[in-house]
Amino acid sequence: MQTFKGTKIVNGIAIGKIKIYKAPVYEINEELVSDIAAELERFEAARVKVQEDQNALYEKEIKEGHKDTAGIFEAHAIMLDDEDLIDSCKEIMSEGHTAEFAVRDGFEAAAEMFRNMDDEYFQARSADVIDLKNSMLDVLFGADTANLQGTEPAILVAEDLAPSETVKLDKSLLLGLVTRQGSSNSHTAILARSMNWPTIIQCHDITDDCDGKFAILDSYNSCIYVEPAQYVIDELTAKQHEDREKEAKLQQLKGKPSETKDGYKVRLYANIGGPKDINAVIENDAEGVGLFRSEFVYLDSKTDPTEDEQFAAYKKVLEGLAPRLVIIRTCDIGADKTIDYMKLDKEENPALGFRAVRICLNRREFFKRQLRALLRASTFGNLGIMFPMIISKWEVQECKEILEECKKELQAEGKAIAEKIEIGIMIETPAAALCADELAEEVDFFSLGTNDLTQYTCAIDRQSANLERFSDTHHPAVLRLIRETIEAGHRHNTWVGICGELGADPELTEEFLKWGVDELSVNPKSILPLRDRVRNADLSKHKEDKSPAAQAEAGKPKGLLGRLFS
Ligand code: PEP
Ligand code: MG
């Protein structure tokens, strides 16, 4: 048995033969030719053909409901109209080189430019240019690339796969995917995620002589076993069956209500970081977005994003997910999320420092840019706005005043704003939880940020690995604050959700429901498992039993509630 290690992209087990995928290698004529016009014509014909193919791939993906991947091919078709790219190829041909030569050098130079950019996202785009180069060469050489995948179901092993190669694969023959190169930001990784294929990348050492050999891809452990030992086969076959059964059951929960056996309904929403997560929300049947961490829009940008840039991101998410409620949290920068262009002072205790709403309230113009972008985007869907790191009522009032000011400005400019926008705050400090009654008077909803609430309540730095032993995610103090916040919210008709990691903790689901939580917002992949958990819960069994025996027992607290109130 040989074991090759890589980097996990999509969890799963794939069992079958390996097929080494080899894209054709072309020998390009380096000699000069005399008929320049003919080469220009061949180039143009190939460009038009590849563009048509990309548009066809776009249509295909749209039809199959893969909006995210469709966008890749739309971008490819646009890239093929890029004047700089076309001109650089034409210039090479004007020197007497063939169309193939011009495509190789012209597209390589463009890819190199992307590769040298600092931003990882743009670096990954070089793969798109190479993909187009290969498609152009396939057309110019008249190659038949239809059968590179073979005819049997297999675990595909490739150097790297271009998006157009990936999308052309026959999915019914694809058991899993291994690439020697690739990045987690690459479109192939995006495709693999959206298709849910067990996938590892950067599996540098796997060799071509594995072609045709029996193997098991175990991406849970980021590795592939070639000619595995019997005990590995037995163990991983059992794991695959278990996965399939679980997955099939979970898929059946799409469209089903998130409701306990005794009829208690909770809303299951998703936490997202930006437009790239729209598909995950839909695929996992989230009922809305409970936390859009808008700081990722800032973190993804080299400079302070303009109002228009922010507007575009918020609009895309709201439009893509309408009519679902999408709660966008205003910028939560600071502490562990630092940005150079914000030029924040170094602090002794950044988690207790100048962060989130504190920055926004002190940098009014910065804050107003975001609020204006949010208000402008509000007509494209169902928006909720949430302010993070609140400790006092005056902060909420000031946030609302600035929001009002932005509304008035936009109205004066003749811009449309949605009539109803729910306003909420994160409860992630003990101060906010303990003052929840007063804060509730100001807002439509609370969302419990249990990650920070735990850190601040227990004085446990959430970044520190040394504190593992002292950290208790179910600490009774945190649970008590959660329960009391829910109760305080409900006293004032303020609905209450949980968007920190605890929201997805199946051990606590039943407690949260019992306490009356209205919404749980979790990472998209946790939606269906959580729905399963909710649907199997029965809160009626906790309802007070008035019998004498039960009354006698009542003094003896049990379970989590016992820990809380004993
Ligand atoms: C939280 O603190 O629980 C939360 C959801 O916010 P973040 O993890 O982004 O700080
Ligand atoms: Mg937080």
Side-chain angles (χ1 to χ4, degrees):
M1 170 169 89
Q2 283 178 296
T3 307
F4 299 101
K5 275 279 196 195
T7 303
K8 142 174 65 182
I9 292 292
V10 184
N11 268 334
I13 306 286
I15 304 177
K17 278 190 189 165
I18 287 181
K19 168 73 187 165
I20 302 281
Y21 179 97
K22 267 201 180 320
V25 182
Y26 299 115
E27 238 179 71
I28 291 183
N29 180 8
E30 306 276 330
E31 306 207 336
L32 296 182
V33 291
S34 53
D35 194 348
I36 292 174
E39 293 309 304
L40 286 168
E41 218 171 279
R42 289 181 62 233
F43 172 86
E44 183 54 17
R47 191 185 70 79
V48 170
K49 167 81 175 79
V50 174
Q51 198 168 43
E52 280 169 7
D53 290 348
Q54 300 298 312
N55 283 326
L57 290 172
Y58 166 80
E59 298 293 341
K60 171 176 173 284
E61 290 302 284
I62 287 284
K63 232 186 242 156
E64 290 176 10
H66 305 133
K67 252 189 177 176
D68 236 22
T69 50
I72 301 172
F73 301 108
E74 191 182 23
H76 281 187
I78 294 169
M79 262 186 208
L80 285 166
D81 275 331
D82 185 272
E83 284 184 12
D84 288 341
L85 181 64
I86 297 173
D87 287 350
S88 74
C89 293
K90 282 185 177 165
E91 208 175 302
I92 299 170
M93 285 180 279
S94 70
E95 290 162 5
H97 292 291
T98 60
E100 290 85 347
F101 186 105
V103 165
R104 183 192 65 191
D105 284 16
F107 280 64
E108 280 290 351
E112 185 63 16
M113 189 190 73
F114 278 116
R115 225 172 272 132
N116 290 332
M117 290 183 174
D118 289 336
D119 187 296
E120 267 183 41
Y121 176 82
F122 285 113
Q123 283 170 6
R125 299 292 70 77
S126 68
D128 295 279
V129 182
I130 296 295
D131 184 10
L132 288 173
K133 178 197 83 173
N134 293 335
S135 302
M136 288 284 289
L137 290 178
D138 288 344
V139 173
L140 286 165
F141 278 96
D144 178 12
T145 53
N147 210 17
L148 295 173
Q149 192 185 356
T151 49
E152 279 182 275
I155 300 169
L156 215 63
V157 175
E159 200 52 35
D160 195 3
L161 273 181
S164 60
E165 287 175 309
T166 315
V167 102
K168 280 184 213 150
L169 295 173
D170 181 343
K171 277 117 199 140
S172 65
L173 298 181
L174 193 86
L175 303 175
L177 190 58
V178 177
T179 65
R180 295 194 184 97
Q181 311 296 330
S183 73
S184 53
N185 255 333
S186 72
H187 279 140
T188 301
I190 297 172
L191 282 161
R193 280 193 204 100
S194 69
M195 302 292 183
N196 214 17
W197 296 321
T199 301
I200 61 172
I201 58 168
Q202 293 167 7
C203 186
H204 303 291
D205 299 330
I206 190 160
T207 44
D208 281 0
D209 62 7
C210 292
D211 196 31
K213 290 186 181 165
F214 178 70
I216 303 188
L217 169 60
D218 173 7
S219 51
Y220 289 100
N221 289 308
S222 309
C223 65
I224 178 163
Y225 304 99
V226 179
E227 298 185 321
Q230 193 56 45
Y231 76 92
V232 175
I233 300 177
D234 294 344
E235 193 179 304
L236 293 178
T237 307
K239 172 86 184 111
Q240 190 186 45
H241 281 148
E242 202 183 295
D243 279 2
R244 283 192 180 150
E245 272 169 24
K246 264 195 208 153
E247 190 45 43
K249 272 200 194 132
L250 289 178
Q251 289 305 315
Q252 288 167 7
L253 295 180
K254 285 187 182 173
K256 296 254 167 74
S258 307
E259 185 175 345
T260 63
K261 287 188 170 154
D262 56 319
Y264 183 84
K265 278 198 182 117
V266 64
R267 303 197 299 267
L268 296 187
Y269 285 5
N271 292 347
I272 65 167
K276 65 175 185 348
D277 299 325
I278 293 175
N279 226 26
V281 175
I282 297 169
E283 288 276 300
N284 292 288
D285 200 28
E287 297 150 42
V289 167
L291 170 64
F292 172 171
R293 289 181 162 97
S294 74
E295 56 277 10
F296 285 108
V297 174
Y298 294 77
L299 288 160
D300 284 346
S301 175
K302 282 230 168 69
T303 50
D304 193 357
T306 62
E307 182 183 314
D308 282 347
E309 282 163 351
Q310 292 191 54
F311 164 72
Y314 306 148
K315 171 176 177 245
K316 204 164 180 183
V317 173
L318 284 161
E319 218 167 27
L321 293 174
R324 298 170 184 83
L325 174 63
V326 174
I327 295 175
I328 305 186
R329 170 173 81 182
T330 60
C331 185
D332 186 8
I333 285 298
D336 53 321
K337 298 176 203 137
T338 54
I339 305 184
D340 286 348
Y341 62 75
M342 295 286 292
K343 301 206 180 343
L344 299 170
D345 290 339
K346 262 217 152 343
E347 291 176 301
E348 284 291 318
N349 293 304
L352 302 180
F354 193 47
R355 62 171 293 199
V357 83
R358 301 170 182 180
I359 298 179
C360 292
L361 291 178
N362 270 16
R363 297 189 181 183
R364 215 179 159 94
E365 287 313 307
F366 169 83
F367 194 25
K368 279 180 72 177
R369 246 193 321 280
Q370 176 166 40
L371 296 179
R372 284 175 55 98
L374 286 169
L375 291 170
R376 280 172 56 197
S378 65
T379 54
F380 293 91
N382 184 4
L383 171 70
I385 299 179
M386 172 158 77
F387 304 112
M389 274 298 287
I390 293 293
I391 59 165
S392 302
K393 192 166 174 170
W394 71 262
E395 295 167 332
V396 191
Q397 288 166 338
E398 201 166 305
C399 287
K400 284 167 54 183
E401 271 161 35
I402 301 174
L403 188 67
E404 270 316 300
E405 191 177 310
C406 293
K407 266 190 196 165
K408 290 212 175 91
E409 281 175 16
L410 288 168
Q411 275 155 355
E413 292 165 27
K415 304 237 164 71
I417 300 170
E419 259 175 39
K420 173 90 188 111
I421 301 172
E422 285 199 280
I423 302 295
I425 56 171
M426 294 206 52
I427 302 289
E428 50 188 344
T429 60
L434 293 167
C435 294
D437 270 298
E438 292 93 281
L439 293 169
E441 290 167 4
E442 295 292 330
V443 291
D444 300 306
F445 65 90
F446 287 154
S447 188
L448 281 144
T450 53
N451 311 335
D452 277 318
L453 187 61
T454 305
Q455 136 161 294
Y456 295 129
T457 304
C458 301
I460 293 275
D461 180 350
R462 65 194 262 193
Q463 309 279 45
S464 171
N466 293 333
L467 298 177
E468 224 28 62
R469 187 161 102 81
F470 301 96
S471 144
D472 174 4
T473 51
H474 295 181
H475 195 288
V478 177
L479 298 180
R480 188 174 295 190
L481 289 177
I482 294 173
R483 181 178 182 165
E484 288 177 3
T485 300
I486 297 172
E487 287 170 358
H490 289 174
R491 276 195 287 276
H492 300 268
N493 280 333
T494 297
W495 64 264
V496 186
I498 299 177
C499 65
E501 293 300 301
L502 272 196
D505 184 337
E507 283 182 41
L508 291 174
T509 310
E510 209 152 319
E511 299 302 315
F512 292 154
L513 299 178
K514 228 168 16 179
W515 300 343
V517 76
D518 300 288
E519 171 245 26
L520 294 169
S521 190
V522 298
N523 82 63
K525 287 245 154 76
S526 297
I527 295 281
L528 293 175
L530 197 55
R531 183 169 295 158
D532 189 36
R533 182 75 191 80
V534 169
R535 291 171 63 83
N536 281 308
D538 182 359
L539 306 183
S540 64
K541 67 177 194 263
H542 303 290
K543 296 239 165 79
E544 233 180 309
D545 183 348
K546 295 275 184 341
S547 70
Q551 303 251 344
E553 273 291 294
K556 302 180 196 162
K558 289 198 189 79
L560 270 167
L561 269 181
R563 280 187 76 194
L564 271 177
F565 298 108
S566 57

